[in-house]
Amino acid sequence: MWSFWDTLSAITTCVAELRVVRLLPTLVNESEYISALYACWPCESETTPEAIALADDAVRAFPDSPKLWCMRGDLIQLAAASCPYSLDDAGACYLRAIAVDPSSVEAHEGAAHFYDVVMSDEQRAASYFAEFQGLRPASSSANVLFPMISIIVDDGH
């Protein structure tokens, strides 16, 4: 549970990050946008309008970043009902991330969970889950761990 001071610190960090990004949009790189969005991430509340605006700026500045598209989709899902974007817009973010990088594990996982849990469209989610499962082993630490496990099992240890 966050204390008052933790919450105040997170809000202050978010506001400071937003000011930097708003003042220097041409000097910001993709990783700075990612850091700023994480600083504004809603932990115990809904996404703020400022965080949505920052996500919009980020994908405008870096339209070929699947990570930023996924973050925008996540933030839209976590926003209040008064958010100017709909859940369909959140889904479109994951689809855009996949279009930008068809091998993006995060984009396929985001689309799969979105269509399964948020939209209750199990059939549509199934194809994204299948893609996610197909991509995941190639990009995760599982490839490193599984050979070690098989050696341990073979040796009986």
Side-chain angles (χ1 to χ4, degrees):
M1 170 127 312
W2 280 36
S3 71
F4 169 78
W5 296 112
D6 292 333
T7 304
L8 183 61
S9 174
I11 291 169
T12 304
T13 301
C14 181
V15 170
E17 294 282 352
L18 285 171
R19 285 187 184 139
V20 169
V21 171
R22 292 288 182 177
L23 292 174
L24 307 170
T26 59
L27 301 178
V28 175
N29 64 39
E30 179 184 10
S31 63
E32 289 172 325
Y33 271 111
I34 292 168
S35 295
L37 286 169
Y38 277 134
C40 297
W41 207 262
C43 294
E44 294 184 13
S45 61
E46 297 168 329
T47 302
T48 63
E50 293 80 13
I52 296 286
L54 180 59
D56 289 345
D57 290 347
V59 296
R60 263 193 303 276
F62 297 95
D64 294 331
S65 170
K67 175 71 174 174
L68 290 173
W69 282 108
C70 288
M71 292 179 84
R72 183 175 183 264
D74 292 346
L75 287 168
I76 291 171
Q77 284 186 67
L78 298 170
S82 62
C83 176
Y85 296 109
S86 68
L87 289 176
D88 289 335
D89 293 319
C93 289
Y94 301 115
L95 299 182
R96 176 66 186 264
I98 291 169
V100 166
D101 181 3
S103 65
S104 171
V105 174
E106 182 178 10
H108 284 90
E109 181 182 26
H113 286 289
F114 174 77
Y115 287 110
D116 183 38
V117 177
V118 177
M119 302 304 282
S120 299
D121 186 345
E122 292 177 15
Q123 186 175 4
R124 191 162 185 192
S127 66
Y128 293 110
F129 273 123
E131 285 292 323
F132 165 68
Q133 292 298 332
L135 292 169
R136 188 169 176 234
S139 64
S140 72
S141 60
N143 289 335
V144 175
L145 296 177
F146 289 146
M148 293 172 60
I149 291 169
S150 65
I151 290 169
I152 292 169
V153 171
D154 291 342
D155 289 346
H157 293 93

